[in-house]
Amino acid sequence: MRIRSRLLLLVSAVLVPALVGAGIGLAYIYKEEREFNHASMQGTARALALALDRDMSRRRAVLQTLALSPLLELNELERFYGYAAELANQSGSAIILSDLEGRQLLNTRLPYGARLPQMVPAEREARARLGNEASIISDVYLPPAGLGPHSFAIQVPVWRDGKVVRFVTMASFASQMQELLAEQRLPRGWHATIVDRQGVVVARSVEPEKFTGKPVREELAAKIAAQPEGLHDGVNLSGAPSTAFFSRATDSGWTFVVAVPHAALYGPPVRGAVLLAAVSLLLLGLGAVAALAVAGRISRPVEALRRAAQRLGHGDPVHALPTGTLELDEVGRAMADASERLRGSTAELERRVAEAVDSYEHSQRALVQAQKLEALGRLTGGIAHDFNNVLQTLTASLQVLARRATPEEQTLLERCQRAVARGSGLVRQLMAFGRVQEVRVEILDTAARLGEARHLLGGALPANVGLDYDLAADLWPVTVDPAQLELALLNLVINARDAMPGGGRVVLRGTNRTLERETTDLPAGDYAVLSVSDSGRGMSEEIMARALDPFYTTKGVGKGAGLGLPQAYGFARQNGGTLMLESRPGQGTTATLYLPRASQAPARRAAQAAAHGIPAGQGKVLLVEDDEHVRETVSLALRAAGFEIHTAATGDEAIRRLDGGERYDAVLTDVVMPGELSGIDLAEQIRSRHPRTGVVVATGYTDRRLKLPGVRALAKPYGLQQAVAALNEALDAVR
């Protein structure tokens, strides 16, 4: 008899009665558990709706207490504002007092006496529908601009002498309902949602920021509108299959929805499966008696096959032996053939696994290095910003003093100015490593610019080190800060020089390269590739791993700050490229800069005449600077140059002055400032609202580039001559 016939006989004797009994038990358990779970979930939704009503009642009680305040009867609104503000701070809401026409008299979200918005449309509609005597609970709405995210309001009338004279409103952010959801401590995986009368989400236990203010699914909204409580089978807002149980709160008319995933709701059938397993085991035991006779006839060839499988698993050769059963003999021959192929492929598999592990370790090291450099870059950028303000204060103060100093004092002041210049150079390196965006970027003819820098780069090399250029004739243009490009190349050349104490050659190469596919560090696209190679001692793997860390150096104390390679790396990353190192001990090092190709051709550079002395200034200038020391010293210096100077501490204050009617010939603003507006935002608004006002932006640290036509850029720390020249240019441009 063939093995198929024997197995069919065995399976029929065991499984048929087991499946029949298990199916009966599972159907009964599933029906009972489903009905119980539905009733339990509906009760939960009802209890949560009651909790929602309690929360609304608590808020309304606060408003009713405020409505009875004697301060309102005495019309002492300012004292009432202070009392209401204390309650508002405790509840995290805003208390609003308005008259019968909907005009707000006070709003604790705004200072007392500030200009107040009108009644929101939802409130006006509710009053028109319900009248002035009713207390109302609004649906979720977006308040007037600047007063916060999605909100809801509860409003009660203020009665005096039997008439409604005013309204007291508590406006709360919809996010406060998240606290109510959190208090319910629902099981993990359940989604609780509060829906207003329009079917819009007020709060949600999962991803509230994504769904607040959005409608629930149409099918669920239709059921909520049709009946006060019930259930709906479908998918939740996150797209997961679930059953939603809902119950409407009597007081507010809002609905509490509890969505339970099908996996959790219908978990009880798993217990039915356990019963099925138990019944099946019993039936299997009964069938085993009948199966023993059949199993005895096939056990010996199967055992032989099992031993062959064990040898195959250990990698030992397998030989096919006849068993008398056709199917088993065919399997034996197939296993023998597989044994030969498996032994041949084991070595190849081990080799591929080793390559995969090596690739993973390399990627992991690169990721850790990138994260470390990112964190250090942000730290150094912040330090550079603060240090720049210190240097700016010193620069302006020294130049003011220099105008009235004696010759002996002039000498001391010049030394101080040279020290400030050295500090400025260090700050530029820190900012470059911190990936700080400079505002002085321009499209460069790369080959021409490198040719101009040859004297600078060659001057950094001793007589026993030569400098060779190998530039492609059609080298693509790039969009960078030219000074930062020269500084990055100078740092690379100095590193190459230090690697060749006995002399050698430094080669600067420039080529074009197109990346067809994205790499770990670079997106696909066109790049101008600049490399600096030396024939020096090279670097070990340990040094290579830390070469881009700021302040890391292998030089002795006082011979290097450890910022050369990090500055070049930060410069490349801030401009959308990267820096790659290739080095081996004794075989030299190559540092390669990848810079994205500019989208436009470089403009022709106009010759600049050197200015002599500090030009005179004339005009009314608004200086916007948050640092008090910088603001005072720069304003003093500019007044000495002839300008009429007014000051503002933030961009928000400056735009309020301009929009309020104050007129200035020019505005000189810092970039990084507290408040809503940065210096670049302020410049954009001035150019659009007040085009007759010149704008100069001064910065030493920013994460945004300036791309506004007609706006002058001034790098901190700037000298008085530079500031006056920039302001005069800005004034000339708008006259």
Side-chain angles (χ1 to χ4, degrees), residues 29-223:
I29 292 175
Y30 182 82
K31 176 178 177 297
E32 292 294 319
E33 290 291 335
R34 181 184 177 93
E35 293 177 354
F36 174 79
N37 285 342
H38 282 190
S40 176
M41 293 302 101
Q42 193 62 62
T44 300
R46 194 176 301 117
L48 295 176
L50 291 175
L52 177 59
D53 267 347
R54 287 195 298 271
D55 185 84
M56 291 297 183
S57 297
R58 176 183 60 80
R59 295 172 185 268
R60 184 159 49 198
V62 173
L63 289 177
Q64 290 170 344
T65 301
L66 286 172
L68 297 175
S69 173
L71 296 176
L72 288 181
E73 188 170 359
L74 297 174
N75 204 33
E76 295 187 9
L77 297 186
E78 186 168 1
R79 290 180 59 193
F80 179 80
Y81 174 88
Y83 175 59
E86 291 182 6
L87 291 178
N89 288 336
Q90 294 172 6
S91 63
S93 305
I95 303 299
I96 302 169
L97 180 67
S98 55
D99 60 19
L100 297 182
E101 286 73 33
R103 293 187 294 270
Q104 293 189 9
L105 304 178
L106 60 83
N107 186 328
T108 62
R109 236 176 230 147
L110 298 172
Y112 182 79
R115 183 177 181 181
L116 302 176
Q118 290 289 330
M119 180 188 295
V120 297
E123 180 184 347
R124 189 179 299 110
E125 177 184 335
R127 280 297 166 203
R129 179 167 44 86
L130 300 176
N132 291 341
E133 295 77 16
S135 296
I136 62 173
I137 298 175
S138 76
D139 291 321
V140 67
Y141 64 90
L142 274 174
L147 293 183
H150 286 90
S151 304
F152 67 93
I154 301 176
Q155 187 179 87
V156 302
V158 178
W159 294 82
R160 290 293 181 271
D161 300 326
K163 295 191 302 182
V164 177
V165 296
R166 289 172 179 163
F167 302 110
V168 179
T169 306
M170 177 182 288
S172 305
F173 295 138
S175 59
Q176 291 186 8
M177 290 291 101
Q178 297 299 136
E179 300 175 5
L180 178 62
L181 296 181
E183 291 172 0
Q184 310 312 314
R185 300 184 180 276
L186 296 177
R188 186 176 182 180
W190 293 21
H191 293 182
T193 306
I194 298 176
V195 181
D196 67 15
R197 292 181 292 268
Q198 304 302 319
V200 176
V201 174
V202 179
R204 193 168 186 267
S205 60
V206 178
E207 296 180 304
E209 67 282 351
K210 181 177 180 181
F211 296 106
T212 297
K214 295 184 178 179
V216 297
R217 296 188 182 275
E218 294 182 359
E219 301 85 355
L220 177 58
K223 286 191 175 182

Side-chain angles (χ1 to χ4, degrees), residues 533-721:
S533 303
D534 64 65
S535 56
R537 51 180 173 247
M539 292 185 283
S540 65
E541 291 186 3
E542 293 77 12
I543 295 177
M544 282 273 289
R546 299 190 59 191
L548 298 180
D549 290 357
F551 307 112
Y552 174 75
T553 179
T554 58
K555 303 172 187 176
V557 176
K559 296 184 178 180
L563 285 173
L565 284 176
Q567 181 276 329
Y569 176 77
F571 161 76
R573 295 298 292 174
Q574 81 175 49
N575 288 283
T578 192
L579 171 69
M580 297 184 181
L581 292 177
E582 297 179 19
S583 182
R584 288 186 179 180
Q587 299 183 19
T589 300
T590 298
T592 304
L593 288 170
Y594 284 77
L595 299 174
R597 179 183 183 180
S599 58
Q600 301 177 0
R604 179 174 297 177
R605 298 170 59 197
Q608 298 179 349
H612 297 282
I614 298 176
Q618 184 177 2
K620 185 178 180 182
V621 176
L622 177 62
L623 173 63
V624 187
E625 170 62 62
D626 63 302
D627 189 285
E628 180 181 359
H629 299 295
V630 174
R631 189 168 63 245
E632 292 178 354
T633 54
V634 171
S635 61
L636 180 63
L638 293 178
R639 286 191 186 99
F643 291 105
E644 178 187 346
I645 302 297
H646 298 258
T647 62
T650 65
D652 301 330
E653 179 185 351
I655 200 65
R656 282 197 300 270
R657 290 192 186 182
L658 289 165
D659 291 344
E662 296 186 23
R663 293 291 178 262
Y664 299 96
D665 299 314
V667 174
L668 171 58
T669 177
D670 191 16
V671 170
V672 180
M673 293 183 294
E676 297 266 338
L677 298 179
S678 70
I680 295 179
D681 296 329
L682 176 61
E684 291 173 349
Q685 296 203 19
I686 292 174
R687 296 307 299 154
S688 62
R689 300 185 196 177
H690 308 281
R692 302 299 299 171
T693 301
V695 183
V696 177
V697 173
T699 183
Y701 173 79
T702 180
D703 56 2
R704 294 171 55 188
R705 287 185 174 178
L706 180 65
K707 297 181 179 179
L708 289 176
V711 176
R712 269 57 180 175
L714 195 59
K716 282 186 174 181
Y718 52 81
L720 180 58
Q721 178 179 346

Side-chain angles (χ1 to χ4, degrees), residues 220-441:
L220 177 58
K223 286 191 175 182
I224 291 175
Q227 56 194 48
E229 64 180 29
L231 62 87
H232 170 70
D233 278 317
V235 295
N236 58 27
L237 289 175
S238 300
S242 61
T243 299
F245 299 85
F246 60 88
S247 180
R248 186 181 304 154
T250 306
D251 192 8
S252 64
W254 291 5
T255 302
F256 214 116
V257 182
V258 180
V260 183
H262 286 169
L265 184 62
Y266 302 123
V270 174
R271 292 189 289 273
V274 175
L275 177 61
L276 171 63
V279 174
S280 299
L281 287 175
L282 176 61
L283 296 177
L284 283 173
L286 297 175
V289 176
L292 285 175
V294 179
R297 297 182 181 181
I298 62 174
S299 61
R300 287 186 296 275
V302 169
E303 178 64 20
L305 191 61
R306 185 187 66 80
R307 290 194 295 269
Q310 286 180 333
R311 290 194 297 272
L312 180 64
H314 291 114
D316 298 332
V318 175
H319 304 288
L321 297 176
T323 63
T325 303
L326 178 61
E327 288 84 352
L328 295 180
D329 289 345
E330 291 178 354
V331 172
R333 288 192 292 272
M335 290 177 66
D337 183 57
S339 174
E340 291 298 324
R341 293 198 302 272
L342 181 62
R343 294 176 66 191
S345 62
T346 299
E348 177 64 18
L349 178 62
E350 291 176 349
R351 183 185 65 80
R352 292 186 179 182
V353 168
E355 290 178 352
V357 170
D358 182 68
S359 176
Y360 170 78
E361 291 178 348
H362 176 75
S363 300
Q364 195 69 13
R365 287 195 299 269
L367 175 62
V368 171
Q369 177 73 0
Q371 292 172 337
K372 179 171 60 175
L373 292 175
E374 180 71 20
L376 289 172
R378 292 187 180 277
L379 174 62
T380 54
I383 294 172
H385 168 253
D386 293 338
F387 193 34
N388 242 332
N389 282 336
V390 175
L391 294 176
Q392 181 60 65
T393 302
L394 292 173
T395 298
S397 300
L398 290 172
Q399 291 190 346
V400 170
L401 292 174
R403 298 173 66 126
R404 58 184 75 165
T406 64
E408 293 80 6
E409 293 170 340
Q410 286 281 2
T411 302
L412 295 176
L413 292 174
E414 289 174 1
R415 292 178 182 175
C416 293
Q417 288 171 342
R418 285 196 296 271
V420 169
R422 291 179 60 188
S424 300
L426 179 59
V427 167
R428 283 194 295 273
Q429 288 185 308
L430 289 171
M431 289 192 297
F433 174 74
R435 304 185 192 178
V436 175
Q437 299 283 6
E438 289 287 346
V439 296
R440 297 172 294 169
V441 295

